[in-house]
């Protein structure tokens, strides 16, 4: 097997990761880093986005600068090839978030019909607020009828018959005008994804710029559509997050308990697993099997979902998912979908660990498939917990190593909770921004990527930003990184600049606020819309930025693009596979500025990235007539 030439110390800064990397090596277990080494160097055509397999006249490798093969068999040049690939990449990401959003919509509908036992509307106020927002008269409607009406309304947003998605109303008028003028107003969530597949079929849209603009429209359909609906309905069904202190890292696993890891993205399955694990009957069964209890911990975004709402500890982020199993202390991984490495099935089989898939659309051969539906979820969750208890009896104590003790982090900062923490309105934050106590706000989001030092770019960037009085909001896998770095409690204020520390202390906030999972990036969009409206400006005028320092997924590309198309400059720690086209790369790095008032910055070095972001924030502050 090819070896990663980096030392374990270079791969990850964390004690828990390093200990498990050593253990994996000792036990002969390959990880994502080993497989990356085997795949390196990557195919240079693919790396640049210059391969095409969209028809069987090909596949083609396009070499724009070469003596030969400047065009694919159909005549597509490098720019078109890169644009078509990137368009489909973004559409896949937007489709993933949005299909997840649709699952929440189906759950809400089933709850309204009484056909989803165990699920309920937990936040009736939010349900009523959303109904009012989209124009559903709630007078005389009970919660079930409101849920039914709201579900029907949002289903329409997925279709093809609207001219604009309903929650676009949360964006400032100026922004909506820009979208209209550039024909990037998303009409239907599914429609934009499907249209991207259509446009990129051989012989449809052959203009790379036009494809990129449609990519922006598709991404906007995710951010202000599929993801936003997913977030809002998750709050309605499972409760709007409120501040709480929780624990994170592999130390949250318990040697004496049945450990179940929930992994994936949707709260629909993980909430049920949690409910079953907390059932006294299950606890009794666990005790009978010799365990002290049933301990549920989260991975990745589903972990963020149950962390935000239920205080469930977070075992780790993307690059920790394999290593969590290497502890030998995990009885079960329950996965729904997205970002679940197929390798987990193989690694689970090296231990007593059971890998359970739950979604009809995400099957993992070699694992145990317990198909969850809205009707059977409560029973299936109990079945899963019973299987985990059974697995506990087969645990090999000699192979268990739970490294480190957990760190604490504060969570639960939904927009509602932030406003409540500020005393009922966003005014104190705006005032702090105006006088420069808080210079700006940056969303740091997204994944890990084994090509980069684990969590290194994420935490390096966050530390630089808070030092420069920039408030950071985080979602997804970035959360665990910030928590481990100690930035998500008020103790983290020691690392913040004087102004930010003063502001945060006044409202008892940490310098890095946890706003949720990847779909919850929509909370950041909504917050930006709110702040811009309060100031009477466009989102592009705000001293804000976004960053996905260690991103890897198609979804992250969609997030980055909807941020840019919403007017938010976005930093990426590594580029998407577009460098084979100067045209597309130029558009991403500069051209979009002229269209949407924001573009991408690619920079792997966290300090340099912070400089670029800080410069941007200064420029926006000066343009608003504020100090720098
Ligand atoms: Ni959706 S998309 S690795 S779990 S943040 Fe984590 Fe988050 Fe990226 Fe995936
Ligand atoms: Fe080749 Fe064109 Fe077919 Fe792509 S669509 S595989 S470039 S012939």
């Amino acid at each position: 097997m090819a070896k990663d030439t980096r030392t374990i110390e270079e791969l990850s800064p964390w004690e828990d990761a390093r200990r498990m990397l050593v253990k994996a090596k000792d036990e002969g277990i390959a990880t994502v880093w080993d497989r990356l080494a085997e795949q390196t160097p990557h195919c240079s055509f693919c790396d640049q986005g210059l391969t095409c397999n969209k028809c069987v006249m090909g596949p083609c490798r396009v070499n724009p600068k070469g003596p030969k093969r400047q065009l694919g068999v159909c005549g597509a040049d490098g720019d078109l090839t890169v644009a078509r690939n990137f368009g489909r990449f973004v559409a896949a990401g937007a489709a993933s978030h949005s299909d997840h959003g649709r699952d929440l919509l189906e759950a809400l509908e089933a709850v309204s019909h009484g056909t989803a036992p165990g699920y309920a509307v937990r936040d009736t106020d939010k349900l009523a607020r959303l109904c009012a927002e989209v124009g559903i008269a709630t007078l005389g409607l009970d919660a079930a009828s409101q849920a039914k009406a709201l579900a029907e309304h949002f289903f329409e947003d997925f279709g093809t018959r609207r001219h604009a998605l309903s929650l676009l109303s949360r964006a400032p008028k100026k922004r909506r005008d820009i979208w209209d003028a550039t024909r990037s107003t998303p009409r239907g969530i599914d429609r934009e994804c499907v249209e991207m597949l259509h446009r990129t079929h051989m012989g449809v849209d052959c203009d790379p710029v036009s494809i990129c603009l449609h990519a922006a429209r598709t991404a906007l359909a995710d951010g202000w559509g599929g993801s936003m609906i997913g977030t809002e309905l998750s709050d309605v069904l499972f409760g709007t997050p409120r501040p709480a202190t929780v624990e994170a890292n592999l130390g949250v696993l318990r040697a004496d308990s049945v450990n179940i890891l929930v992994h994936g993205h949707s709260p629909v399955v993980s909430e049920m697993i949690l409910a079953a694990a907390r059932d006294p009957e299950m606890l009794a069964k666990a005790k009978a099997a010799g365990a002290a209890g049933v301990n549920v911990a989260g991975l990745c975004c589903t972990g963020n979902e149950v962390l935000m709402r239920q205080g469930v500890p977070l075992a780790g982020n993307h690059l920790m998912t394999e290593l969590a199993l290497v502890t030998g202390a995990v009885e079960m991984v329950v996965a729904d979908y997205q970002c679940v490495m197929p390798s987990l099935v193989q690694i689970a089989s090296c231990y007593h660990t059971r890998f359970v898939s739950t979604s009809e659309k995400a099957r993992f051969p070699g694992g145990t498939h317990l198909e969850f539906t809205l009707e059977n979820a409560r029973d299936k969750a109990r079945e899963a917990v019973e299987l985990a208890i059974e697995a506990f009896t087969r645990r090999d104590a000699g192979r268990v190593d739970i490294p480190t003790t957990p760190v604490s982090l504060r969570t639960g900062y939904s927009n509602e909770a932030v406003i409540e923490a500020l005393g009922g309105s966003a005014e104190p934050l705006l005032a702090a921004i105006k006088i420069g106590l808080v210079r700006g706000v940056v969303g740091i989001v997204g994944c890990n990527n084994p090509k980069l030092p684990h969590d290194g770019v994420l935490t390096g960037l966050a530390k630089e930003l808070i030092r420069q009085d920039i408030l950071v909001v985080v979602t997804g896998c970035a959360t665990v990184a910030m928590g481990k770095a100690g930035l998500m409690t008020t103790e983290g204020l020691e690392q913040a600049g004087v102004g930010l520390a003063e502001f945060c202390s006044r409202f008892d906030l940490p310098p890095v606020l946890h706003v949720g999972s990847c779909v919850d990036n929509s909370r950041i969009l909504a917050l930006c819309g709110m702040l811009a409206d309060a100031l009477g400006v466009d989102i592009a005028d705000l001293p804000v930025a976004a960053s996905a320092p260690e991103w890897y997924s198609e979804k992250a590309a969609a997030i980055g693009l909807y941020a840019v198309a919403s007017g938010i400059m976005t930093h990426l720690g590594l580029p998407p596979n577009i460098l084979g086209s100067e045209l597309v790369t130029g558009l991403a790095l500069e051209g979009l500025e002229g269209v949407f008032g924001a573009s991408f910055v690619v920079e792997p070095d966290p300090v340099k990235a912070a400089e670029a972001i800080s410069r941007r924030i200064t420029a926006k502050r000066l343009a608003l007539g504020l100090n720098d």
Side-chain angles (χ1 to χ4, degrees), residues 98 155-165 185-195 214 217-218 220-222 225-226:
S98 302
F155 271 125
E156 294 273 304
D157 274 332
F158 277 81
T160 60
R161 304 194 59 176
R162 289 233 169 106
H163 297 294
L165 302 183
T185 300
R187 300 153 297 179
I189 298 161
D190 290 342
R191 175 181 188 157
E192 308 310 351
C193 295
V194 168
E195 187 171 312
H214 185 70
R217 173 152 58 178
T218 307
L220 288 168
D222 171 358

Side-chain angles (χ1 to χ4, degrees), residues 97 264-265 300-301 318 338-339 446-448 476-478 518 552-553 555-556:
H97 282 148
H265 281 75
C300 286
C301 275
H318 185 53
Q338 299 170 16
C339 302
C447 331
N448 293 136
C477 287
C518 286
Y552 91 92
S553 80
K555 292 175 290 167

